[in-house]
Amino acid sequence: APARADTAGGEFDELGITELRGLMAEGRLDAERLTRYYLERIERIDPLLHAVIEVNPDALGEARRLDAGGRPRGPLHGMPVVLKDLVETADRMHTTAGSLALEGLRPARDATVAARLRAAGAVILGKANLSEWAGGRSLTHHAGWSARGGQTRNPYKLDRSPNESSSGTGVAVAANLCVAGIGTETNGSIIDPSAANCVVGVTPTGGLGGRGGGIPGGPRQDSVG
């Protein structure tokens, strides 16, 4: 059977927001260095995992602007975050739900969660792969597969399922391709890939975090977490 992905050897691996913010406060780390670190990991490791469907071409520029600001913008200052490819961003990235039908779509404004992340100082690192259309267009879909991103693979056992539609987000966090990630859930799409990929997933009460600007899976159950 295929082996576990090689994710060893990273100096910031498994460090959380609190630890990384501490290093920044001590002057031992800045947003550009941390962003570059994760971009290099994506380039090296993600061809095996297919967790990141697209990298933000402006991520390093965002990080440099944060460093040049002179003081922390917010509680997520300089933290590179990936967003599931259902979450709209008003930048040079696409928002497609993993589908070729929406390829080239660049929204005019950020989704609520994307805008709040930027306001808190996060660096939007890229878009995460998913079950195409969040798995909502087929009863027989393959968990973690999309036409744009291919098959997301579980980093702990490459032939095991990454489990359901926020799989790219779960795998990206598990493989240390970002500090944290945003997924969406209609019916298990955050908690299932979190369990399968050994990360903590939080599914807030529906609507608590703001669902505006997210490609919907259902009219009432969707939650961003």
Side-chain angles (χ1 to χ4, degrees), residues 22-133:
L23 292 175
M24 288 184 177
E26 294 168 4
R28 298 164 56 193
L29 179 64
D30 59 30
E32 181 180 356
R33 180 183 172 198
L34 188 61
T35 300
R36 191 180 301 277
Y37 172 79
Y38 286 117
L39 288 172
E40 289 174 354
R41 284 189 64 82
I42 290 170
E43 183 177 7
R44 179 165 59 90
I45 295 170
D46 196 57
L48 184 64
L49 300 177
H50 295 203
V52 180
I53 203 168
E54 184 174 3
V55 167
N56 182 2
D58 299 316
L60 281 174
E62 289 182 15
R64 292 187 189 108
R65 283 191 290 274
L66 288 167
D67 288 334
R71 62 178 182 176
R73 180 184 295 179
L76 298 179
H77 183 89
M79 297 297 110
V81 177
V82 299
L83 308 180
K84 185 177 182 179
D85 189 35
L86 292 178
V87 179
E88 295 180 347
T89 53
D91 50 28
R92 290 196 285 165
M93 290 189 292
H94 305 79
T95 304
T96 67
S99 173
L100 297 178
L102 295 183
E103 193 169 34
L105 175 64
R106 291 187 172 91
R109 62 181 182 179
D110 282 338
T112 300
V113 66
R116 290 180 175 177
L117 285 167
R118 292 192 206 273
V123 175
I124 307 299
L125 191 64
K127 295 292 182 73
N129 200 9
L130 70 161
S131 304
E132 186 171 321
W133 294 108

Side-chain angles (χ1 to χ4, degrees), residues 143-161:
W145 182 90
S146 75
R148 278 195 69 212
Q151 178 63 55
T152 308
R153 305 175 82 178
N154 189 311
Y156 289 98
K157 192 70 172 176
L158 297 176
D159 61 344
R160 303 293 176 88
S161 174

